[in-house]
Amino acid sequence: MLKSWKLKEVVLLSVFSVVFAVVYLLFVHVGNIWSGFIGPIAFEWMFGIWFIVSIISMYIIRKPGAAVLSETMAAVIEVMIGNAVGPRLILSGLVQGLGAEAAFAITGYKRFNTWVLILAGIGAALFSFAYGFFVSGYSALAPSYLALMLGLRIMSGALIAGLGGQWVSNGLLATGALRGYAISLGKRKTSVE
């Protein structure tokens, strides 16, 4: 899968994975505090933060596997630095990454516009919710509560991961730090067309 990747792409993906593993672990604590006030649904509105590295990595690198690799690596690192969920979190990261990756695969890895990024955030939300349904016992919850959870997670994936990931990436692009990456070549090509 990494055969056609440049070393700088692998390094960037790795750096993003480390940075977002720390961000993810911090947001676990934020969610725990928030859930003390409103219950477990507190995590749903902010779930998109846990999908964002997959969208940022794919939007910048634009190669098959960028979403799933970055999300899985971030999960591995998060476990290594102390997430109490343990190794099960790695499978969760893989599932979330596959959900985001699916949106880009549907386009043949040729479209990276806002709607595809939003779809990637929604894909990560749907895959993670399905995984959570079977692993976390969501089936015991009332259907109306489940619908609310799913709706909030989809909205969070679309806004925080999809639009937020685009915003972070475009911000990095504007600094000139991403010259030579596919995102800068894609922007230049789009502006000429």
Side-chain angles (χ1 to χ4, degrees):
M1 184 186 307
L2 294 176
K3 187 175 179 184
S4 66
W5 285 50
K6 296 175 185 163
L7 179 59
K8 69 180 186 177
E9 294 167 337
V10 174
V11 170
L12 184 66
L13 183 127
S14 301
V15 168
F16 283 151
S17 296
V18 170
V19 167
F20 282 96
V22 173
V23 170
Y24 291 176
L25 189 56
L26 290 172
F27 270 87
V28 167
H29 298 300
V30 170
N32 284 336
I33 292 167
W34 187 232
S35 68
F37 294 105
I38 65 169
I41 203 159
F43 283 93
E44 299 303 326
W45 71 271
M46 59 192 258
F47 233 99
I49 197 67
W50 288 292
F51 312 145
I52 199 166
V53 75
S54 59
I55 285 136
I56 291 171
S57 296
M58 182 61 85
Y59 186 47
I60 292 171
I61 297 169
R62 301 184 180 193
K63 289 195 174 167
V68 71
L69 285 171
S70 61
E71 198 68 57
T72 305
M73 285 174 55
V76 169
I77 295 162
E78 188 180 350
V79 168
M80 291 170 55
I81 61 175
N83 189 304
V85 172
R88 190 177 85 179
L89 183 68
I90 298 168
L91 183 56
S92 179
L94 174 66
V95 168
Q96 292 167 186
L98 287 170
E101 187 88 28
F104 300 105
I106 289 169
T107 71
Y109 299 96
K110 290 181 174 41
R111 298 191 61 195
F112 298 91
N113 61 33
T114 302
W115 292 110
V116 174
L117 299 176
I118 289 171
L119 183 61
I122 291 171
L126 291 172
F127 275 50
S128 72
F129 194 83
Y131 173 76
F133 187 85
F134 294 106
V135 173
S136 300
Y138 292 177
S139 60
L141 301 171
S144 59
Y145 193 77
L146 275 175
L148 178 61
M149 286 175 62
L150 178 59
L152 287 172
R153 192 175 302 193
I154 288 171
M155 184 178 65
S156 181
L159 298 177
I160 296 175
L163 294 179
Q166 183 180 41
W167 180 78
V168 168
S169 301
N170 287 341
L172 287 171
L173 180 64
T175 69
L178 299 177
R179 256 181 261 133
Y181 288 93
I183 187 174
S184 67
L185 303 173
K187 290 285 185 189
R188 201 173 312 130
K189 183 179 175 187
T190 304
S191 64
V192 172
E193 294 175 345

